[in-house]
Amino acid sequence: MTENPHPHANPDCRAVSELLSRVGDKWTVLLVKALVERPRRFNELKREIGGISQQMLTRTLRTLERDGMVERTVHPTVPPSVEYALTGLGHSLSVPVMALADWTFAHLPQIHANRAVYDGAMGEAA
């Protein structure tokens, strides 16, 4: 048994930290954003979320399904089609996620400009 390096750490803080790292993950944010409008199939999600590998998409969907934020529905067609949708819990997560995504897109030019100024100043200081 591994000894806890912080034996007095609040277990609730650890649980919150773990969940925040999961829901704050870029792939989770992009998946929630893609599913907020309507359910989607796997390949549709993969196309919409550019740059995500099949393995990462599968892993993120499974994690969100395990946490009860996404539901997976298999339709009895030939071949079977699988659709992913946000649950009520997932839709409640979409509110802060969409606010964060909107904030990011609104401030991205300013952040890029700030980085350029900072990087220029740090280059001069070296």
Side-chain angles (χ1 to χ4, degrees), residues 1-63:
M1 184 168 131
T2 305
E3 191 174 312
N4 183 351
H6 304 287
H8 303 293
N10 183 336
D12 290 338
C13 289
R14 288 192 306 267
V16 167
S17 177
E18 177 207 347
L19 191 56
L20 284 174
S21 69
R22 184 173 311 137
V23 299
D25 172 78
K26 75 176 179 178
W27 300 124
T28 298
V29 170
L30 293 172
L31 263 171
V32 169
K33 186 176 181 312
L35 290 171
V36 76
E37 294 173 11
R38 63 181 172 79
R40 297 182 191 267
R41 294 178 63 179
F42 186 90
N43 285 330
E44 186 180 4
L45 287 168
K46 190 164 181 336
R47 279 190 304 273
E48 185 157 329
I49 303 169
I52 190 168
S53 68
Q54 183 168 330
Q55 179 183 6
M56 184 54 70
L57 179 56
T58 299
R59 183 182 305 149
T60 306
L61 284 167
R62 284 183 182 161
T63 300

Side-chain angles (χ1 to χ4, degrees), residues 103-117:
W103 181 91
T104 301
F105 286 118
H107 294 90
L108 202 53
Q110 180 182 357
I111 291 167
H112 284 304
N114 291 343
R115 287 178 179 174
V117 169

Side-chain angles (χ1 to χ4, degrees), residues 46-114:
K46 190 164 181 336
R47 279 190 304 273
E48 185 157 329
I49 303 169
I52 190 168
S53 68
Q54 183 168 330
Q55 179 183 6
M56 184 54 70
L57 179 56
T58 299
R59 183 182 305 149
T60 306
L61 284 167
R62 284 183 182 161
T63 300
L64 291 171
E65 185 180 5
R66 180 176 181 243
D67 288 344
M69 294 181 217
V70 167
E71 64 183 355
R72 180 180 184 265
T73 304
V74 180
H75 297 284
T77 58
V78 179
S81 65
V82 179
E83 202 171 61
Y84 296 91
L86 291 178
T87 63
L89 184 61
H91 275 288
S92 70
L93 174 64
S94 74
V95 174
V97 164
M98 293 303 290
L100 180 59
D102 291 344
W103 181 91
T104 301
F105 286 118
H107 294 90
L108 202 53
Q110 180 182 357
I111 291 167
H112 284 304
N114 291 343

